Amino acid sequence: MAKQPELHLGSFQVRDVVTGSHTGLQAGVLSVNIAELKERLLEDSWFSDVDVEIVRPGSSVRIVHVVDVVEPRIRVSDPGTDFPGMLSLPRTVGMGRTHRLAGVAVTEVAEPVPGEPTYWREAIIDMSGVGARFSPFAALINLVLSFKPNPKRFITDQYVNVFEGSPEAVEYGKAVRVAGLKAAVYLAEVTRSLEPDAVETYALGGSGLEALPRVAYAYQAAMPYVYGEIAPGGGGVGGAGALPTLIHPNEILDGALVNAFAWAGSARESTYMLQNHALLQELYRNHGKSLDFRGVVFYTFGDNLKTKERITSHAATLVQLLGAQGAILNYLGGGHPIVDVMMTCEKLEKRGVKTTLLLMEMAQNPEDSGHVHYVREAGAIISTGNYEQVINLPPVERVIGGSQILVSEEAAEGALALSLRHVLAATDQFGSMSLRGRGY
Amino acid sequence: MSTQTAAPVLEKSASVAGMTLELASYDVRDIVLGTETALRDGVLSIDAGVLRAHLLRDNEWIGDVSVALAHPGDSVRIIHIVDAVEPRTRISEPGTDFPGMLGVPRTVGSGRTNRLNGVAVVEVAEPVPGEPTYWREAIADMSGEGARYTPFSQLHNVVLTFTPKADRFSKGEEMQNIMTGTTEAEEYGKAVRIAGLRAAIYLAEATRNLEPDRLEVLSLDDERAQGLPAVAYAYQIQSPFIYGEVAPAGGAIHGPGHLPTIIHPNEILDGALVNSFTVIACMREVTYAIQNHAIVKELYANHGKTLDFRGVVLYTNGDSVTTKERISAFASNLVVLLGADGAILNYLGGGHPIVDVMMTCEKLEKRGVKTTLMLMEMAVNPEDSGHVHYVRQADAIVSTGNYEQLVQLAPVKTVLGGTNILESGEDASGSFSIALRNVLASTSQFGGGRLRGRGF
């Protein structure tokens, strides 16, 4: 029989990042040769320049216009398969050994380019003060890459709709993400011949699982690159012909998925959140202890009743094929997708599979339930926070990424009252947000 | 560091809740036209007037349809075949026949379905303006030499000949490419297929309150399968309707963003997949061949006896090295997820798809999964291997026949569907030599053909 995938993830704890004349890791301090890194990133003709800055937790810094965030990683045992499909051929990952720099994030920021939709684009990280409480990235050392586009590459500025920008804007957005991935690989490369502080092994199956409840995860994806291609999503964005499929959780944790869509900051499916997917981590932690983690069903959403029926039926069938007694469902945010989550929930419950839902709320006032659709069967819901909640951010000494908040056009360094949806990962759909429930 | 092999993800104890299909067969030994539609003592009587009115009701594209019968041994040649369907009706809830094509795309593959055994509804139509014709011809001879090659010569065929509403088409429409015709031609093609499905249900409805001759119970849950070699089927589809939508295939036809997935074999057998593409007749993925999928049925027949049938991976083909790498890697991942020791791969035909089959084969073998391939040959002469691509790992190949082989067809008394063979323009009732590729299901990619190998 074929060997089932087994991923060994070696962590190198980083307690500081400094600039230096060479890039290396010593005693938990990551030194970065900024000039060499810049040179690598500027090989791409989409950019006229890139600034590189190190931003530490507690500093009076606000990072705005974030596009994506990546954790530095390299695949050690299978060279040339880092972020497959984005940086190399789309070869299968999720097995063998991968190294990560723990505590560090490569954060890509860029002003929107002509032809780029801006409605959902803003994403902010405050490194100190009230704002820092809401973004998990405030606790990391951020290596911030600020990209400047090459104006010669932009010809049109017309965008198709609020999802899809002009072809140039889409290509530029991909170039920014690819540059972030390259930086992540460049940094993690320093660990290649070092011994990690800790190694975690991720594998499904095993012995002693017979008596444990079998749990699957129905992952509603927000249109990531999957092995380098944007997965056909619901009719709104991808085309209704797509069917849900299965993906091994190790592939998700090991770079097969990369952010493609600068969706609302609080719910954005950033690459970092995929690499450290909180639901997967939690299911793996409990695998063989309190449950038998059976696997992941990968689905999106339809754009009409018929495509929703088709997609949710197949998603439910795949959960059943995994032999699950229970399923966890996340929600990517937005109006259409909640209907598909609820339809999948209903079908699963009717077929005898218990469900738990992780839902972001969108409540503008206490009279608003924050949920646009529900079914009777949705009896176990965990809130990941209300993305309409307004928070007050104090002024900061310095802003990286731009001078004004998008859409509102307020001065970015000043005091701001803004809704949580602009704060990166504040209501993370995978449950790694900093918000917690409280009993009264 | 641990090197032990983890257990398969889909363990043998996994309960595939609810996916048990009871397929009730009603043997039909003759079909006749009559004043009512009913099944008595194995004779299916069809009220052609009622059937015709049923098919013409509420449709935008079909101008007229005629009903004719073709029996095994008749001096009849059926030409211009679009698709063929076995009469079926789903008896138990959710009671959805051909979901997504007719009604809401609800999951099928569990509960009871009735079938008329020995009957096919065969849809024939002249190509309409804007419809590609290069791969379109499909012939079934009911007697003589030609009958030896098509499995449909062994069935009682209800032949529906469609003509379009004339005002829906303007002459000389430009088609986009050889795969997809004009929008109008595509819509008409879908309307013809849907009419065939409705006819299939109409006929099978005659069984509703009758006792079947046989009941097959199809389920992957079988204690006896434990410990037997685990076998998966990697099904390379041609682009059928799946629950009513054409699956995004390789870039050649659709978009490369698509990923392979898993489908329960019962869904395949129970009407979730319907032909959408009139590609080369000898290997056309006709609905009848999907409903009676020879590989799936063979795997079921051996499930719990010689093997443990683990399930089906659905995939298609890419249009570039990158998309092929992505699709074949993902397909092999899914086969591994199914815990398979071995896999069977079919081949949809054509140049691009064989590369994806071979890449999947190579990846599976390298990951420790043994493979067997079913390949159609395309050899114009004995010097031609008939295979456009291969990998070293492909060392167990079953041929489903050579589609370039010429066969000599005898004259017939009656031709149904048209007067001239497409492309060649020959008189359809005469004697002619023709490549096997024009003969319906003669090299069926699922192995349901009539050709057999012979040792020398």
Side-chain angles (χ1 to χ4, degrees):
Chain A
M1 185 189 297
K3 190 175 173 349
Q4 293 297 315
E6 207 169 285
L7 176 65
H8 306 284
L9 191 58
S11 289
F12 295 78
Q13 196 60 48
V14 175
R15 56 185 174 79
D16 202 6
V17 181
V18 296
T19 59
S21 58
H22 83 288
T23 301
L25 180 66
Q26 216 162 14
V29 177
L30 178 69
S31 163
V32 184
N33 180 338
I34 303 283
E36 185 178 79
L37 173 59
K38 274 183 71 165
E39 197 182 326
R40 300 248 179 132
L41 302 182
L42 290 174
E43 282 168 2
D44 189 328
S45 68
W46 276 107
F47 308 121
S48 63
D49 200 6
V50 58
D51 284 335
V52 183
E53 284 187 71
I54 297 159
V55 179
R56 297 181 183 83
S59 53
S60 182
V61 172
R62 174 167 299 150
I63 310 169
V64 301
H65 305 348
V66 177
V67 174
D68 190 22
V69 184
V70 193
E71 183 173 77
R73 297 272 185 107
I74 49 158
R75 286 192 33 83
V76 176
S77 54
D78 203 357
T81 59
D82 299 303
F83 303 106
M86 298 299 284
L87 299 185
S88 60
L89 271 181
R91 299 228 164 89
T92 304
V93 291
M95 46 200 159
R97 181 152 161 173
T98 293
H99 285 175
R100 66 186 279 260
L101 291 176
V104 182
V106 172
T107 304
E108 305 138 29
V109 305
E111 295 268 7
V113 289
E116 183 175 353
T118 54
Y119 183 68
W120 283 322
R121 171 70 155 72
E122 191 56 275
I124 297 170
I125 305 169
D126 268 16
M127 295 303 290
S128 59
V130 175
R133 284 176 41 207
F134 293 99
S135 179
F137 294 105
L140 302 177
I141 303 169
N142 289 266
L143 188 84
V144 183
L145 309 176
S146 304
F147 293 93
K148 307 276 180 299
N150 174 359
K152 293 188 202 121
R153 298 286 308 257
F154 293 87
I155 302 155
T156 61
D157 61 359
Q158 297 301 306
Y159 62 81
V160 180
N161 56 40
V162 75
F163 293 100
E164 298 165 274
S166 65
E168 289 93 336
V170 171
E171 283 300 310
Y172 177 69
K174 186 172 181 181
V176 167
R177 287 165 177 87
V178 165
L181 302 177
K182 281 179 172 172
V185 174
Y186 170 80
L187 296 176
E189 191 57 50
V190 302
T191 67
R192 185 172 292 278
S193 49
L194 304 180
E195 271 308 303
D197 298 317
V199 177
E200 274 186 279
T201 296
Y202 296 89
L204 297 176
S207 53
L209 299 169
E210 294 73 20
L212 296 173
R214 300 187 295 270
V215 178
Y217 165 41
Y219 173 16
Q220 190 179 45
M223 212 177 73
Y225 291 105
V226 184
Y227 286 104
E229 292 281 345
I230 294 181
V237 269
L243 280 174
T245 189
L246 298 180
I247 191 165
H248 196 288
N250 291 2
E251 296 175 80
I252 298 171
L253 296 175
D254 200 26
L257 273 59
V258 166
N259 171 274
F261 180 38
W263 161 239
S266 71
R268 191 172 302 172
E269 192 180 41
S270 66
T271 304
Y272 188 96
M273 286 307 183
L274 293 165
Q275 295 169 299
N276 292 281
H277 196 298
L279 269 174
L280 293 183
Q281 297 281 4
E282 188 69 11
L283 286 164
Y284 261 128
R285 249 193 303 281
N286 288 287
H287 181 59
K289 297 190 183 101
S290 60
L291 55 83
D292 173 6
F293 178 25
R294 305 292 300 170
V296 179
V297 173
F298 195 47
Y299 77 117
T300 54
F301 64 96
D303 63 347
N304 63 46
L305 190 54
K306 197 170 166 182
T307 55
K308 284 176 189 299
E309 187 72 35
R310 179 172 181 271
I311 287 171
T312 59
S313 290
H314 196 67
T317 299
L318 291 176
V319 169
Q320 287 184 289
L321 273 170
L322 288 174
Q325 297 162 306
I328 298 176
L329 287 73
N330 74 302
Y331 157 51
L332 73 85
H336 263 299
I338 192 63
V339 178
D340 297 70
V341 170
M342 288 295 177
M343 286 173 76
T344 305
C345 163
E346 181 178 353
K347 289 186 168 71
L348 285 171
E349 292 275 349
K350 283 186 173 163
R351 296 183 193 184
V353 179
K354 298 275 177 207
T355 58
T356 297
L357 280 57
L358 263 79
L359 302 184
M360 180 180 68
E361 297 168 61
M362 294 178 284
Q364 287 191 311
N365 58 57
E367 281 70 48
D368 182 345
S369 81
H371 300 292
V372 292
H373 182 62
Y374 68 94
V375 293
R376 219 160 35 114
E377 287 77 8
I381 298 176
I382 297 168
S383 172
T384 63
N386 175 16
Y387 102 149
E388 295 284 12
Q389 186 187 324
V390 175
I391 55 166
N392 289 298
L393 300 183
V396 289
E397 282 170 21
R398 215 160 68 80
V399 174
I400 300 177
S403 55
Q404 291 184 321
I405 301 302
L406 295 178
V407 184
S408 80
E409 296 183 355
E410 289 168 289
E413 77 275 12
L416 300 169
L418 83 182
S419 86
L420 208 52
R421 76 188 183 98
H422 298 301
V423 178
L424 192 67
T427 62
D428 177 48
Q429 52 174 314
F430 307 139
S432 69
M433 68 288 169
S434 321
L435 293 167
R436 289 291 176 269
R438 193 196 289 168
Y440 286 98
Chain B
M1 200 148 297
S2 161
T3 52
Q4 97 189 54
T5 302
V9 177
L10 297 183
E11 285 170 34
K12 302 190 163 71
S13 60
S15 169
V16 185
M19 276 283 183
T20 298
L21 178 64
E22 294 177 356
L23 199 53
S25 290
Y26 296 77
D27 293 332
V28 176
R29 57 184 171 83
D30 201 6
I31 55 177
V32 295
L33 296 178
T35 53
E36 59 164 354
T37 300
L39 179 65
R40 275 194 205 94
D41 301 324
V43 177
L44 178 70
S45 163
I46 302 166
D47 185 331
V50 172
L51 172 58
R52 189 172 159 270
H54 178 59
L55 300 183
L56 290 175
R57 195 176 302 135
D58 303 328
N59 97 84
E60 294 179 53
W61 294 95
I62 296 163
D64 202 0
V65 57
S66 66
V67 182
L69 306 181
H71 305 274
D74 286 357
S75 182
V76 170
R77 174 166 299 147
I78 313 169
I79 65 170
H80 303 350
I81 297 171
V82 174
D83 190 22
V85 193
E86 182 174 81
R88 297 276 184 104
T89 186
R90 283 188 49 78
I91 299 300
S92 52
E93 286 303 315
T96 312
D97 295 301
F98 305 109
M101 298 300 287
L102 303 171
V104 176
R106 295 213 176 91
T107 306
V108 289
S110 51
R112 178 161 155 185
T113 294
N114 287 359
R115 67 184 281 261
L116 289 175
N117 182 39
V119 183
V121 172
V122 178
E123 303 128 48
V124 304
E126 295 267 6
V128 289
E131 182 175 354
T133 55
Y134 182 65
W135 286 327
R136 170 72 154 72
E137 190 55 276
I139 301 171
D141 272 16
M142 298 303 293
S143 59
E145 181 69 6
R148 285 182 45 209
Y149 294 97
T150 179
F152 290 93
S153 66
Q154 307 302 299
L155 301 175
H156 295 279
N157 295 298
V158 180
V159 182
L160 306 175
T161 305
F162 294 92
T163 47
K165 286 186 175 169
D167 59 354
R168 300 303 303 254
F169 296 93
S170 48
K171 286 278 175 199
E173 297 260 8
E174 287 291 317
M175 57 191 177
Q176 290 167 336
N177 61 39
I178 197 166
M179 307 261 186
T180 51
T182 58
T183 310
E184 288 86 353
E186 274 194 86
E187 286 294 322
Y188 177 66
K190 186 171 180 183
V192 165
R193 286 168 176 85
I194 285 177
L197 302 177
R198 291 175 68 191
I201 297 165
Y202 170 80
L203 296 177
E205 269 301 308
T207 65
R208 186 164 284 273
N209 299 311
L210 304 180
E211 277 303 309
D213 293 307
R214 278 181 312 289
L215 197 63
E216 278 174 279
V217 179
L218 300 168
S219 168
L220 290 179
D221 293 337
D222 190 339
E223 298 265 315
R224 293 169 305 169
Q226 291 198 22
L228 295 174
V231 179
Y233 166 40
Y235 176 9
Q236 190 179 45
I237 52 172
Q238 261 174 9
S239 82
F241 291 106
I242 304 180
Y243 286 104
E245 294 280 346
V246 174
I253 313 175
H254 299 276
H258 140 87
L259 284 173
T261 188
I262 288 176
I263 192 163
H264 196 289
N266 288 4
E267 296 175 84
I268 297 171
L269 297 177
D270 200 26
L273 273 62
V274 167
N275 171 274
S276 83
F277 183 34
T278 36
V279 78
I280 302 175
C282 68
M283 61 181 203
R284 191 176 300 170
E285 193 178 36
V286 291
T287 304
Y288 186 96
I290 298 172
Q291 294 169 298
N292 292 281
H293 197 297
I295 295 174
V296 171
K297 286 179 78 170
E298 188 70 11
L299 286 167
Y300 257 133
N302 288 287
H303 185 52
K305 297 191 182 101
T306 60
L307 55 82
D308 174 8
F309 181 21
R310 306 290 301 171
V312 180
V313 172
L314 275 190
Y315 77 116
T316 56
N317 64 285
D319 63 348
S320 66
V321 175
T322 305
T323 55
K324 284 176 189 302
E325 186 71 35
R326 178 172 181 269
I327 287 171
S328 61
F330 208 88
S332 59
N333 291 349
L334 293 177
V335 169
V336 171
L337 266 176
L338 289 173
D341 304 305
I344 296 176
L345 286 73
N346 72 304
Y347 157 51
L348 73 82
H352 264 297
I354 191 64
V355 179
D356 299 69
V357 170
M358 289 294 176
M359 286 173 76
T360 306
C361 163
E362 181 177 352
K363 288 184 169 68
L364 284 172
E365 292 275 350
K366 284 184 173 168
R367 293 176 78 170
V369 180
K370 299 274 175 208
T371 58
T372 297
L373 279 57
M374 298 191 41
L375 303 183
M376 179 181 67
E377 297 166 62
M378 295 178 285
V380 283
N381 58 55
E383 281 70 51
D384 182 347
S385 81
H387 300 292
V388 292
H389 181 62
Y390 68 94
V391 294
R392 220 158 34 109
Q393 289 78 10
D395 56 4
I397 298 175
V398 179
S399 171
T400 64
N402 176 15
Y403 99 151
E404 296 284 10
Q405 186 186 322
L406 293 175
V407 291
Q408 187 67 35
L409 301 185
V412 290
K413 285 188 193 147
T414 309
V415 174
L416 296 174
T419 54
N420 295 85
I421 301 300
L422 294 178
E423 301 291 319
S424 78
E426 285 170 291
D427 174 6
S429 65
S431 167
F432 50 87
S433 168
I434 195 164
L436 210 51
R437 73 190 191 94
N438 296 294
V439 178
L440 191 67
S442 57
T443 65
S444 171
Q445 52 172 319
F446 309 140
R450 305 201 71 206
L451 293 168
R452 291 291 177 271
R454 192 197 291 172
F456 285 99

